[in-house]
Amino acid sequence: MNNKRPRHIFGQLLAPIAIAALAFATVGCGDDDSSGSGAGAVNVVEAWAREPAEGADRTAVYGIVSNGTDEEITLLAVESPVGSSTELHETLVDDAGTMSMQERQDGIVVVAGGTLDLEPGGAHVMVFDVAAADLGESFEVTFVFEGADDVTVPVAVQPVGDMDMDDDTDGDMDMDDDTDMDDDSDMDDGEHPDDTDGD
């Protein structure tokens, strides 16, 4: 009789310890599963801009917006500590092949699991009233989204001497750098006071 009682008490002491250990293991497994949610993120990569040409006071920012979530998001704006203002633009081509830029005041949708390429000749971000000295070798911008947190990234500045590269030889470069020409008077960028200097 005396030998059985200690075993019974010992078993009662082990039971809650075992239950606690099982609960701890379950919580640990739950933490491991939740760590996978990091894959569903919104990122901006390969952000770059051209150094303004001599006499120019604007630049365009390019990059790739990646929506790793299962819901569509909208790029509403891009904020920059340099320049007086920024605008989201899309490039349009009419039946005659003439390119023009139009501000996307309602933003640009990025579908679930998709990407948005900000590139010369396509959608891009304009930064106004900025000089090469303001940019340096890089500067930061913040991408503002609806449906996702803001994303701040560094923007690499491409020297003006590199403007002969393929990335800078399409219609977007011509419009951004030549907006003072009469041919661009119909573009939305003409609404800015500094766009009318050459008219």
Side-chain angles (χ1 to χ4, degrees), residues 6-22:
R7 292 178 183 175
H8 179 67
I9 294 174
F10 184 69
Q12 288 179 333
L13 291 174
L14 284 180
I17 295 175
I19 293 173
L22 180 60

Side-chain angles (χ1 to χ4, degrees), residues 122-143:
H124 56 278
V125 180
M126 290 300 299
V127 182
F128 296 97
D129 298 321
V130 64
D134 300 328
L135 302 180
E137 295 183 354
S138 68
F139 62 100
E140 286 191 343
V141 297
T142 299
F143 287 74

Side-chain angles (χ1 to χ4, degrees), residues 42-158:
V42 174
N43 297 303
V44 180
V45 298
E46 299 180 19
W48 65 279
R50 287 192 304 270
E51 182 181 83
E54 183 177 356
D57 60 356
R58 68 196 61 197
T59 187
V61 175
Y62 310 107
I64 302 173
V65 180
S66 176
N67 179 10
T69 73
D70 57 1
E71 300 287 343
E72 73 174 24
I73 61 174
T74 302
L75 175 60
L76 296 177
V78 176
E79 299 175 347
S80 170
V82 299
S84 63
S85 62
T86 62
E87 291 181 1
L88 286 175
H89 283 191
E90 64 180 346
T91 303
L92 305 176
V93 182
D94 62 19
D95 294 338
T98 302
M99 287 186 174
S100 62
M101 290 190 295
Q102 176 175 294
E103 183 182 4
R104 289 294 299 266
Q105 295 182 344
D106 56 344
I108 304 175
V109 173
V110 187
V111 299
T115 59
L116 167 64
D117 292 333
L118 302 173
E119 58 187 357
H124 56 278
V125 180
M126 290 300 299
V127 182
F128 296 97
D129 298 321
V130 64
D134 300 328
L135 302 180
E137 295 183 354
S138 68
F139 62 100
E140 286 191 343
V141 297
T142 299
F143 287 74
V144 180
F145 296 96
E146 180 180 80
D149 293 335
D150 297 351
V151 177
T152 300
V153 297
V155 177
V157 177
Q158 191 175 95

Side-chain angles (χ1 to χ4, degrees), residues 18-44:
I19 293 173
L22 180 60
F24 180 80
T26 302
V27 171
C29 291
D31 290 341
D32 289 342
D33 292 340
S34 65
S35 65
S37 62
V42 174
N43 297 303
V44 180

